[in-house]
Amino acid sequence: DTGVSQDPRHKITKRGQNVTFRCDPISEHNRLYWYRQTLGQGPEFLTYFQNEAQLEKSRLLSDRFSAERPKGSFSTLEIQRTEQGDSAMYLCASSLDRGLGNQPQHFGDGTRLSIL
Amino acid sequence: EDKVVQSPLSLVVHEGDTVTLNCSYEVTNFRSLLWYKQEKKAPTFLFMLTSSGIEKKSGRLSSILDKKELSSILNITATQTGDSAIYLCAVENYGQNFVFGPGTRLSVLP
């Protein structure tokens, strides 16, 4: 399967702990996005990368959140000092933009984070 | 602030019915509008619309964009139980962000 892959699928941790999620996009895709989705809501944009450059971050992304995409391939999203409100599904998506117009995003199955 | 609104938020129909889902948006520098279907996991792509008045079709699903009214509809004809899902509308702006609506939860009863 050459779709978007996310790891882990589920993460349960205690409040105050740090967590890190990984996303492997579709190999030729140059754009990578992170979203957060809570029950009954659509995905909320967190941040996105064009190759290795992080081009935009949402106001939702507090200083406890950091994302990287070294070498423009896989990406990691780290949450430090987790809080109850961080419990959500974290979705990664990738797309290809050749400068002629963006192509649709393809989503991974997400990492479900539960904070105890 | 960019915003996407969907209606209805929830819909229950019987197999064979036709449904119309609505999406309206307020976005600066609109680039495209997308529809996704989300079952238990990842949203899966349905349509990408950039021009007004051009209907896109895939089997029993079709969608059209009205840039004058800042809206789009998604039609599903002859619904089946497998159509039960959350249908998400998203709008892309030239800041290359995607803003999603809350989704319409469709339940198709046998």
Side-chain angles (χ1 to χ4, degrees):
Chain A
D1 188 319
T2 56
V4 178
S5 174
Q6 291 189 246
D7 183 70
R9 297 289 300 279
H10 302 275
K11 180 71 177 178
I12 301 172
T13 192
K14 291 183 179 179
R15 188 177 56 186
Q17 298 294 304
N18 298 343
V19 295
T20 300
F21 311 141
R22 177 178 170 127
C23 172
D24 287 273
I26 293 172
S27 59
E28 64 269 26
H29 284 184
N30 53 1
R31 289 207 181 153
L32 186 148
Y33 300 78
W34 285 99
Y35 293 88
R36 181 172 67 190
Q37 187 175 25
T38 53
L39 201 62
Q41 301 295 319
E44 295 174 294
F45 169 79
L46 293 177
T47 188
Y48 94 95
F49 293 83
Q50 174 96 3
N51 300 310
E52 68 275 8
Q54 188 173 17
L55 295 188
E56 186 150 350
K57 294 195 293 186
S58 164
R59 290 190 302 274
L60 295 173
L61 214 66
S62 75
D63 58 4
R64 297 184 298 108
F65 288 70
S66 62
E68 294 182 341
R69 193 184 182 196
K71 302 178 184 176
S73 55
F74 72 92
S75 176
T76 58
L77 177 69
E78 181 183 15
I79 309 174
Q80 296 182 323
R81 305 180 304 279
T82 51
E83 301 173 356
Q84 291 278 353
D86 297 331
S87 294
M89 175 75 84
Y90 289 84
L91 292 167
C92 175
S94 69
S95 68
L96 178 64
D97 187 346
R98 292 195 182 101
L100 300 175
N102 201 4
Q103 297 301 307
Q105 298 176 319
H106 295 266
F107 282 84
D109 284 342
T111 294
R112 182 169 294 284
L113 175 64
S114 298
I115 306 297
L116 302 178
Chain B
E1 184 174 325
D2 295 344
K3 186 177 176 182
V4 175
V5 176
Q6 292 187 244
S7 64
L9 293 180
S10 181
L11 186 58
V12 180
V13 300
H14 287 92
E15 272 193 316
D17 289 349
T18 292
V19 298
T20 298
L21 310 183
N22 301 285
C23 175
S24 61
Y25 59 90
E26 294 175 20
V27 172
T28 51
N29 299 320
F30 172 90
R31 190 173 187 183
S32 65
L33 184 144
L34 301 93
W35 285 97
Y36 288 85
K37 177 182 182 182
Q38 186 173 28
E39 295 174 87
K40 292 185 179 177
K41 298 177 184 175
T44 53
F45 170 75
L46 296 175
F47 298 110
M48 184 178 205
L49 306 162
T50 56
S51 301
S52 274
I54 299 173
E55 185 182 51
K56 294 212 170 179
K57 292 196 72 168
S58 177
R60 296 177 293 102
L61 278 66
S62 63
S63 183
I64 196 163
L65 174 66
D66 186 339
K67 290 166 83 170
K68 186 176 177 183
E69 296 295 326
L70 307 182
S71 66
S72 173
I73 60 171
L74 175 68
N75 283 318
I76 309 175
T77 58
T79 51
Q80 302 171 358
T81 55
D83 295 326
S84 296
I86 297 172
Y87 290 84
L88 295 165
C89 174
V91 175
E92 181 192 12
N93 60 30
Y94 272 93
Q96 298 155 359
N97 290 345
F98 290 83
V99 180
F100 282 79
T104 293
R105 180 179 293 276
L106 174 66
S107 299
V108 182
L109 304 178

